[in-house]
Amino acid sequence: MLRPRFLSYAAAMVATAGMVLPLSAIAGDVKQAAHTQTAPAPAADIQLTADNQFVGSLVNAQGQPVAGAEVVFKHNQKEVARTVTAQDGSFSSSLPHAGLYQVNAGQQSATYRVWTNHTAPPKAAPKALMINGQNAVRGQFGGLDLVTVGLFATTGVGLGFGIANNQKLNDLEDTVDNLSQSP
């Protein structure tokens, strides 16, 4: 009877580890294939001013303005404008027309769908905000929200009850087996 119990406990532990641990912890260091590319960030909609000025500001990760940073505007991979941020981190540059632009400011690069003030959709922003050197998404708390914590807690309690009841069932089966073997 010891062997089936051990196997069932071992299987329960492996299954629990598979549900609770993230895949990267189980699989180890999995390297992506060299041909795998990350999807480009979606382009934000920006509305030009009435005189076709692209307006924006560059700040660091703490929200402080970045002064004196070079800002380069590219359309179809060709440079069309260049400027430098002011003391307050703001910048503006005249663009020849609406379209898709790559904007490089300091260490940050972003893609914008630029619209004239007459054709811009309602969601188009009047100004671009670029965060210098930021590669992480803000506002995340490790993926643990109230629902996830509740799910883990109920899984742990349920697993505990299951193990306890399985132990009692095994003890009862052992008692019945001993009774049937006695003369």
Side-chain angles (χ1 to χ4, degrees), residues 128-153:
L129 174 63
M130 299 181 75
I131 302 173
N132 196 29
Q134 181 190 17
N135 293 326
V137 177
R138 291 183 173 198
Q140 292 185 346
F141 181 68
L144 291 178
D145 58 358
L146 189 59
V147 173
T148 305
V149 170
L151 179 64
F152 283 143

Side-chain angles (χ1 to χ4, degrees), residues 1-17 159 162-171 173:
M1 282 294 167
L2 183 60
R3 182 164 287 187
R5 270 194 231 163
F6 174 74
L7 291 176
S8 68
Y9 288 140
M13 290 302 177
V14 169
T16 303
L159 187 59
I163 289 172
N165 286 335
N166 191 22
Q167 181 65 37
K168 288 180 183 179
L169 182 60
N170 284 338
D171 291 344
E173 285 177 352

Side-chain angles (χ1 to χ4, degrees), residues 94-106:
S94 180
L95 296 181
H97 52 77
L100 195 62
Y101 286 86
Q102 180 75 29
V103 180
N104 300 319

Side-chain angles (χ1 to χ4, degrees), residues 33-52:
H35 66 278
T36 304
Q37 295 181 352
T38 58
D45 291 316
I46 299 293
Q47 178 179 343
L48 295 175
T49 63
D51 57 344
N52 283 350

Side-chain angles (χ1 to χ4, degrees), residues 7 10 14 17 20-21 23 25 32 40-41 44 51 62 88 90 100 102 104 112-113 120 127 131 134 142 174 177:
L7 291 176
V14 169
V20 174
L21 294 176
L23 181 59
Q32 293 183 344
D51 57 344
Q62 290 75 35
D88 64 352
S90 66
L100 195 62
Q102 180 75 29
N104 300 319
Y112 295 102
R113 259 188 316 264
K127 178 179 174 180
I131 302 173
Q134 181 190 17
D174 287 344
D177 285 343

Side-chain angles (χ1 to χ4, degrees), residues 178-183:
N178 289 339
L179 288 175
S180 64
Q181 293 174 0
S182 58

